[in-house]
Amino acid sequence: MNCIRCGYCSACPVYRTEPIESISPRGKLRLLDKMKIKDLDARLVKDIYKCSLCGLCEVVCQAELPLTDYWERVREELVNTNKSLPTHKKISEIALLYGNPYGAEQKDRTAWLSKLDLKNRKSNTLYFAGCMASFRLQKIAISTADILDKLGIEFSVGGSEEYCCGSPFLRTGFKNTAEKFFEKNFKVWSKLGVERIITSCPGCYKTISRDYPEIAEKKRVDFNFEVLHITTLLDKELNYIGRDEKIATFHDPCHLGRHMKLYEEPRRVIKKSGFKIVEMERNREYALCCGAGGGLKTQFKEISITIGRERIMEAKRTTAELLLTSCPFCVHQLSKSSEKFNVGIKVLDIVEAVNSVLSK
Amino acid sequence: MVFKIKIVLKSEEVKVYNLQLMTAMRFVDSVEIIGNLRVETHPKVCELYRYDLLDLPPPLSRITKKPIAVFQPESDDDVLKILKVAAKFKVPLIPRGAASSAYGGVVPIKKSFVVEFSRMRKFRIQKNCVIAESGANWFEIENAANRENLALRVYPTSAFVSTVGGWVAQNGFGVGSLAYGRIGENLEWIEVADFKGIRRVSGEEKWRYVGAYGTTGLILRACVKLRENKPINAEAVSLSLDKAVELLDGGYYAAYISCGAMKNLGLEGNAFLICREGWGDKNALGEYLWNRRFEPLKGINYRPIFSEVLLPLESVADFEARLREFCKSYEIVFSKNEASIFAIFDKKWESYIRALKVLKVAKRYGGKFYGLGMISYVKDKNLREFKRSIDPHNLLNPGKAFQPNLISKIIKIAVMLA
């Protein structure tokens, strides 16, 4: 990596929370340039993992280095040399056992479906709910399915045959774990005759649309699925539906915005639903991360909480009534931050907001 | 290094130990002096504080030293404690902001303690000024001032990353300097710490610290003047440099971008950008170049070698004509009475020679180094005497700004030979 050491990457939210040079992208690049991975001690490994993979460093990098992918490759190498962090390793092991990182029973993946009449549906369009919306924030999965129904879009679901997409493991360096999930999901989708996959989680969206084709190529299988994030679909399919003109601000999830360049689609959906948008000071490609990604929350909770607090305070300053986002992890992190710091701003996923307007 | 230190134990018994410095530091830590100071001693992490943007060729880079420890003060008290420890152990202190400069001002050339101000970054906007701690970031200050319909008079083009203390210590000039001069001219006062305590200085006295790279005291905070946030009208045209110099009157910010530098932006021809506060014409190219003022290095996908010099306005056109013979990519930023020429070369061995040649040619036209730091020095008898009086053991950023060091001496000879 040809870092010019300009230091623009000091915008990194983790470095701003813990401003030690070995945590700044510039410092990490210098360390990795001068040292072999195998020679990194436990402290330096921890510092390298202090990163939410938000990709802001890549946006501000004056040398335009492809840093996000690079950090993932470094983590993969750390795992391959037995230098992974304990919590990440444990989650990977749990996921391999249970099919999801929460250690929940696979049969419980269908719990959100019980509120809808979705069983036995057949369609070549699959709604891939993802682990967070299936087990934790089921409202997101239910709202997404509800909206698709209301818009007359036929779809099926994987139910108990849906497995984790592998995103948490690709981000923390456990590529082999992710590849195993690829194999499982690919097998199910092939069996079901899936042609199009809709996701409501940007992590799943990035993984299935960007990482899976690479894994498929490595495994020499054809990967011919159209992959859409729900906001792209709604941007196309949704008419202007709302008029209540509540003021909302939008938090760009890193995986959707900086990683996949979907900035305007969610905003158009919000406007079509009748909300007025006021932007936070840092938005679109310069948006502050929520602090939950890249395995940061699981391993470095305090840093993650500090970043979450900063973001929710930024949302509060806009005077918006609602903080909308389009990622279950961001919803979880920011709503917890709002509660914890008594900020009093309601946090919803776009699909929840759209569905409530459609249901009026 | 071995130090003899006195430890007063809780039982009030006094013991004297011969200890390695770091062992002593740890011992003292557990007793009283350091208290809760944040200190980093991991050798590989400390190694990272040996650099800034400056890319010295290998023989010269070996002269720089890894710091013994990196302190991160969170308050004035912390800074005073660090000064106390440094005085006690006779260890030099190197103040450090964002290390986004290329003059080596923050690079240790002796075994030292680095004092890094990233945890002192608070600021508050007042009626016509901002009071900002040393580690406060210029871009954040500008955004906050804009919300109050105010704006910084001057800020560095590296505002996105650089700090108040760093730029004041360098007496830099940048955006707004055409109208308002260097940062030093826009300070109401600064607060500095040295071995005798903390003092607030203004008027003539501040020039003992502004541009002194922390050699006479550590900058704790500054009161920086603001302006009314009038819209900036930016216009860019293609014309020769001598014509451009005639159009500077009444401008807020002006820059001349060479064909080579424009090529890096995917554009053709040279451009003269002139920006005015609340008046004047504007055009699309002007807006584009104004909006990229914070990113002078964007798109350079190699580790470049820089050379930055200051020229009097009257000779800058003649200098540029000569510069064009061996440098394609450069940008000229204008101040009230002078121009800063930022020449960029790709990283090849001959580029080091060319970078030195820029300095040599500049001298012929009455020019000088833009930054001093570690790479150059000025002979200033008054400042040297002042330093001797407040820092008799030469512990505050030794070998910088107005003290020569091995690197600045070698560079001086190399410039003559280039």
Side-chain angles (χ1 to χ4, degrees), chain A residues 1-11 15-23 26-28 30-31 33-35 41 43-44 47 58-64 281 286 317, chain B residues 40 42 44-45 48-49 51-56 72 96 98-100 116 118-119 121 137 140 143 147 157-161 294-304 306:
Chain A
M1 282 284 158
N2 217 352
C3 171
I4 59 171
R5 295 205 297 268
C6 63
Y8 274 52
C9 52
S10 61
Y15 173 71
R16 287 180 55 78
T17 308
E18 215 175 289
I20 305 287
E21 196 64 20
S22 48
I23 293 171
R26 170 175 70 176
K28 286 176 188 169
R30 179 109 200 154
L31 274 177
D33 188 38
K34 298 286 168 197
M35 292 179 77
D41 64 22
R43 152 74 196 275
L44 297 176
D47 282 0
E58 187 171 322
V59 169
V60 297
C61 177
Q62 298 297 288
E64 299 180 339
E281 200 169 295
Y286 294 102
R317 282 199 295 274
Chain B
E40 176 62 64
H42 190 293
K44 295 292 177 192
V45 178
L48 299 173
Y49 290 83
Y51 306 94
D52 65 1
L53 190 61
L54 178 66
D55 207 358
L56 287 168
Q72 291 192 318
R96 181 179 166 110
S100 57
E116 206 250 15
S118 56
R119 290 181 189 271
R121 60 178 187 220
N137 170 262
E140 286 177 18
N143 283 340
R147 286 197 289 272
T157 50
S158 60
F160 202 72
V161 52
F294 294 120
E295 301 184 322
L297 300 173
K298 189 87 173 181
I300 298 172
N301 52 5
Y302 49 86
R303 189 177 291 168
F306 312 103

Side-chain angles (χ1 to χ4, degrees), chain A residues 111-137:
Chain A
W112 67 274
L113 292 169
S114 61
K115 291 166 191 163
L116 299 160
D117 178 26
L118 288 174
K119 282 175 188 165
N120 306 319
R121 283 196 186 190
K122 283 194 177 155
S123 166
N124 55 16
T125 295
L126 177 92
Y127 168 47
F128 187 88
C131 302
M132 189 69 164
S134 296
F135 295 110
R136 299 274 166 97
L137 299 182

Side-chain angles (χ1 to χ4, degrees), chain B residues 138-359:
Chain B
W138 288 107
F139 191 73
E140 286 177 18
I141 294 174
E142 175 69 355
N143 283 340
N146 290 170
R147 286 197 289 272
E148 311 281 331
N149 201 28
L150 294 164
L152 285 161
R153 289 176 168 197
V154 290
Y155 50 83
T157 50
S158 60
F160 202 72
V161 52
S162 55
T163 63
V164 168
W167 209 44
V168 170
Q170 190 182 303
N171 192 20
F173 81 72
V175 179
S177 288
L178 182 56
Y180 298 101
R182 289 182 171 229
I183 181 62
E185 297 164 58
N186 293 282
L187 298 172
E188 293 278 1
W189 49 259
I190 53 173
E191 276 178 3
V192 291
D194 59 29
F195 299 105
K196 289 175 184 165
I198 292 172
R199 71 188 80 188
R200 180 178 288 191
V201 294
S202 57
E204 281 303 303
E205 202 187 354
K206 78 181 173 201
W207 297 108
R208 286 173 165 172
Y209 303 93
V210 176
Y213 289 82
T215 52
T216 49
L218 306 180
I219 295 166
L220 298 178
R221 59 185 56 74
C223 179
V224 185
K225 292 175 192 171
L226 298 174
R227 64 181 175 92
E228 188 191 332
N229 189 18
K230 290 182 190 164
I232 298 296
N233 292 357
E235 184 187 14
V237 285
S238 181
L239 81 177
S240 64
L241 186 61
D242 51 346
K243 293 268 186 314
V245 173
E246 290 169 14
L247 298 174
L248 298 174
D249 274 355
Y252 170 70
Y253 173 63
Y256 184 87
I257 302 140
S258 74
C259 294
M262 288 288 276
K263 210 173 168 185
N264 288 336
L265 303 172
L267 297 167
E268 283 186 4
N270 61 25
F272 170 61
L273 169 71
I274 176 85
C275 305
R276 299 167 179 113
E277 276 184 274
W279 68 281
D281 293 332
K282 49 185 176 180
N283 61 19
L285 181 60
E287 293 285 308
Y288 170 75
L289 293 174
W290 167 249
N291 288 334
R292 66 162 286 279
R293 67 194 180 282
F294 294 120
E295 301 184 322
L297 300 173
K298 189 87 173 181
I300 298 172
N301 52 5
Y302 49 86
R303 189 177 291 168
I305 292 164
F306 312 103
S307 202
E308 196 166 14
V309 289
L310 285 179
L311 267 293
L313 279 185
E314 53 273 17
S315 60
V316 67
D318 292 337
F319 167 77
E320 189 250 1
R322 181 79 180 81
L323 177 70
R324 243 183 290 151
E325 292 169 16
F326 61 93
C327 177
K328 298 275 174 268
S329 191
Y330 54 90
E331 195 164 333
I332 303 172
V333 176
F334 298 93
S335 176
K336 275 181 186 171
N337 311 311
E338 51 198 352
S340 145
I341 292 91
F342 183 63
I344 305 167
F345 302 92
D346 54 4
K347 194 171 180 181
K348 292 177 188 159
W349 268 101
E350 59 265 32
S351 295
Y352 284 111
I353 310 287
R354 286 187 184 137
L356 293 167
K357 201 171 168 186
V358 173
L359 303 169

